[in-house]
Amino acid sequence: MKNGIARFSTIVLTLTFAASAFSQQKAIVHSLGVTSLTQAHQREATTQFSGKAHEALRPRPDPRVAKGTRAASIFTNSAQKTEFSVVGADKTEHGFTGLTSNDSNVANGGGLNGVLEPPDQGLATNGTQVFETVNLALRIYTNGGKALSPAIGIAAFFGVPVAPVDPENNLSDPRVFFDAKSKRFFFSVLEYQQDPNTGAFLGSEDLLAVSQTSDATGNYYIYLIDGCPADNESCLADQPLIGLNDDGFYFSNNDFDANGGFLGARIVAL
């Protein structure tokens, strides 16, 4: 550990897949300490964590077909369209109202700061508690739907500064997973920086929180994993997906260059 950076030279690997290439690189994990839902909720009251929008921006590759031609070729007349009947809910199932875009908005200072489309959602349970995240907020429930925490902004949870800064920090694509074997919650989100003038990507990271126990309302270890390869630090490591097995914890990312061009898919193994 040096200057708050933990370097795992043997167990943290970055695998890059391109059209005809395969490479292996070292990745860097930064330990950001420990946080809790209570601490995050207290941070929300400060100016630093309210009143500044986070925008989820995904690059759009150049289309390979002219605009509108694909839909027109599929449905040339109404006779080809198929309608499906709506099936009612199974009466043996039960549920409850979870987080809404408005909850996310309020948790991030209002003014539509926490409202994104589409509303990214993540859900995990340890059997008695339900951890849900929608847009840029999270909340813990009992499995019967009773709220065990307020709606908490993800920026405040991870300590991401959102006061007017240059470059801007943005969050997107939250994921949450409960591992029944280790009895831990794993919560991740994409963080990336963008030039406010040109829109170019300046770099990105995977933020990861791991619960210290099986209690979703307890403390969490916080980590930051460099999302871009060493030879292209100005990139967007988009759409991080997570998973784990007996050997490690894994992120997969789709890498885009500073202008939105697709570089390839990567796997980060911890």
Side-chain angles (χ1 to χ4, degrees), residues 10-181:
T10 57
I11 61 172
V12 181
L13 308 174
T14 302
L15 312 179
T16 304
F17 298 89
S20 59
F22 172 87
S23 66
Q24 178 174 302
Q25 301 174 340
K26 295 179 181 178
I28 298 176
V29 176
H30 306 255
S31 176
L32 303 183
V34 177
T35 191
S36 69
L37 302 184
T38 300
Q39 290 173 330
H41 191 50
Q42 291 172 344
R43 290 193 196 108
E44 287 179 344
T46 69
T47 304
Q48 184 183 15
F49 295 99
S50 63
K52 184 69 174 67
H54 282 253
E55 297 187 30
L57 175 64
R58 185 156 298 126
R60 301 283 189 252
D62 293 334
R64 297 293 180 262
V65 296
K67 214 171 193 182
T69 57
R70 182 170 297 177
S73 66
I74 294 175
F75 298 120
T76 56
N77 59 66
S78 59
Q80 291 180 274
K81 296 182 180 180
T82 303
E83 294 185 0
F84 297 91
S85 59
V86 177
V87 179
D90 188 333
K91 293 181 179 179
T92 63
E93 299 294 329
H94 68 278
F96 57 88
T97 300
L99 282 168
T100 67
S101 289
N102 185 61
D103 293 325
S104 180
N105 186 39
V106 171
N108 287 276
L112 301 183
N113 288 324
V115 177
L116 302 174
E117 295 296 341
D120 293 335
Q121 192 257 7
L123 192 71
T125 181
N126 60 9
T128 60
Q129 297 172 321
V130 178
F131 186 132
E132 185 186 29
T133 174
V134 168
N135 282 345
L136 295 174
L138 65 93
R139 178 178 276 157
I140 312 300
Y141 301 88
T142 67
N143 57 9
K146 179 182 177 181
L148 298 177
S149 77
I152 296 172
I154 295 177
F157 180 84
F158 281 103
V160 177
V162 297
V165 292
D166 186 4
E168 297 178 347
N169 295 300
N170 301 283
L171 298 177
S172 182
D173 305 329
R175 304 278 186 264
V176 61
F177 180 84
F178 180 75
D179 175 36
K181 190 167 185 178

Side-chain angles (χ1 to χ4, degrees), residues 14 28 190-191 203-206 224-229 232-233 235-238 253 255 266 268:
T14 302
I28 298 176
L190 165 69
E191 177 188 19
S204 63
E205 305 83 34
D206 293 315
L224 181 149
I225 298 94
D226 287 351
C228 296
N232 191 348
E233 295 183 354
C235 84
L236 172 69
D238 189 34
N253 298 87
D255 286 352
R266 295 195 317 136
V268 178

